[in-house]
Amino acid sequence: MSAQSTPAVETAKNPGEALCLHFRQQIERALSYELISGLLPVGNFISAVAEDVAAQPKLAEAFRRSPGTAMQCLLQAAQCKLLVGARYQKFFLVPRERRGAPEVTSIIGYKGLMEMALRHPRVHSITANLVYEGEPFEWLPGENKLHHAWRMDIDRSDDLVVAAYARCVITEPNSTRAVTDDPIFEVMPRAEILALRERSEAYRFAE
């Protein structure tokens, strides 16, 4: 039986859990796929799906009426070995309307991307920080140097964010020794953050 015709899912109290149980073997195969390293038990995966669907009536309706699109998203999450749902903020299942009918789409959150990156053998650590008005901050891309002095005595409201940055430390080839003297930086000013946010389906979904 295909994911396009699953009567048990249509009538189930929790269509997310029902779909996972109906196609448990396919999900287990996806979880074992070596696209991304890591280990995620199938029971934990199914529980996360069931919790997320139970908390969102629109998502439950999309699972019932479009199980095929739901399965595509679940298999993608399983191959990435990421737990789904707002609780984990790694992989989001998003209900949306297409041609007058509900369907399920997916968005990988920044925590999911960081988790997958950290599984790479040459990634030692990744950190991400916000810079607020009143904090000393200097970024010298030509010298690959960044200075940020965190201060606890300032207002840390969202509308006072002036920049964001991520710092990645890699290891030497074929070694676990971190190259701490030459980290990789990605810096983003506030205007770019806001522009990306407005284009983000994850942000519109959260709103």
Side-chain angles (χ1 to χ4, degrees):
M1 182 180 292
S2 72
Q4 299 294 340
S5 55
T6 49
V9 174
E10 295 177 6
T11 59
K13 182 177 179 181
N14 189 315
E17 182 179 34
L19 189 67
C20 287
L21 294 175
H22 191 84
F23 293 100
R24 184 186 177 103
Q25 290 185 344
Q26 289 90 328
I27 291 174
E28 288 179 333
R29 284 198 296 269
L31 286 168
S32 65
Y33 188 56
E34 291 301 323
L35 173 68
I36 298 291
S37 62
L39 178 65
L40 177 57
V42 65
N44 294 11
F45 183 87
I46 294 174
S47 294
V49 174
E51 178 184 358
D52 197 40
V53 173
Q56 300 183 69
K58 288 186 178 180
L59 181 60
E61 180 65 13
F63 263 72
R64 290 191 178 95
R65 297 183 58 185
S66 185
T69 63
M71 270 304 297
Q72 290 176 5
C73 295
L74 294 181
L75 293 177
Q76 180 188 8
Q79 288 182 355
C80 292
K81 298 177 178 60
L82 295 175
L83 290 171
V84 308
R87 171 188 286 199
Y88 306 100
Q89 298 183 334
K90 298 176 182 180
F91 193 102
F92 297 91
L93 299 174
V94 183
R96 63 185 300 180
E97 291 284 332
R98 183 179 182 185
R99 298 176 182 175
E103 66 176 17
V104 183
T105 59
S106 62
I107 300 172
I108 301 179
Y110 81 93
K111 289 185 178 180
L113 294 173
M114 288 181 64
E115 180 175 309
M116 289 191 291
L118 285 168
R119 294 177 191 157
H120 193 283
R122 289 207 60 195
V123 175
H124 180 267
S125 64
I126 300 176
T127 56
N129 294 280
L130 296 174
V131 183
Y132 292 84
E133 288 184 12
E135 291 183 325
F137 179 74
E138 186 177 33
W139 163 231
L140 303 174
E143 301 177 27
N144 196 40
K145 292 182 179 179
L146 184 148
H147 172 71
H148 174 211
W150 188 91
R151 291 180 55 181
M152 62 181 298
D153 60 339
I154 62 171
D155 186 350
R156 309 186 76 81
S157 303
D158 289 347
D159 57 354
L160 295 179
V161 172
V162 297
Y165 66 92
R167 179 178 183 268
C168 176
V169 175
I170 63 172
T171 63
E172 295 177 349
N174 303 315
S175 171
T176 58
R177 181 180 176 182
V179 185
T180 57
D181 59 342
D182 190 26
I184 300 170
F185 290 107
E186 183 67 31
V187 181
M188 189 176 295
R190 178 180 176 82
E192 189 173 347
I193 296 172
L194 294 178
L196 287 173
R197 186 187 71 174
E198 294 305 316
R199 297 198 299 269
S200 169
E201 281 196 49
Y203 173 73
R204 292 196 293 269
F205 174 60
E207 287 289 291

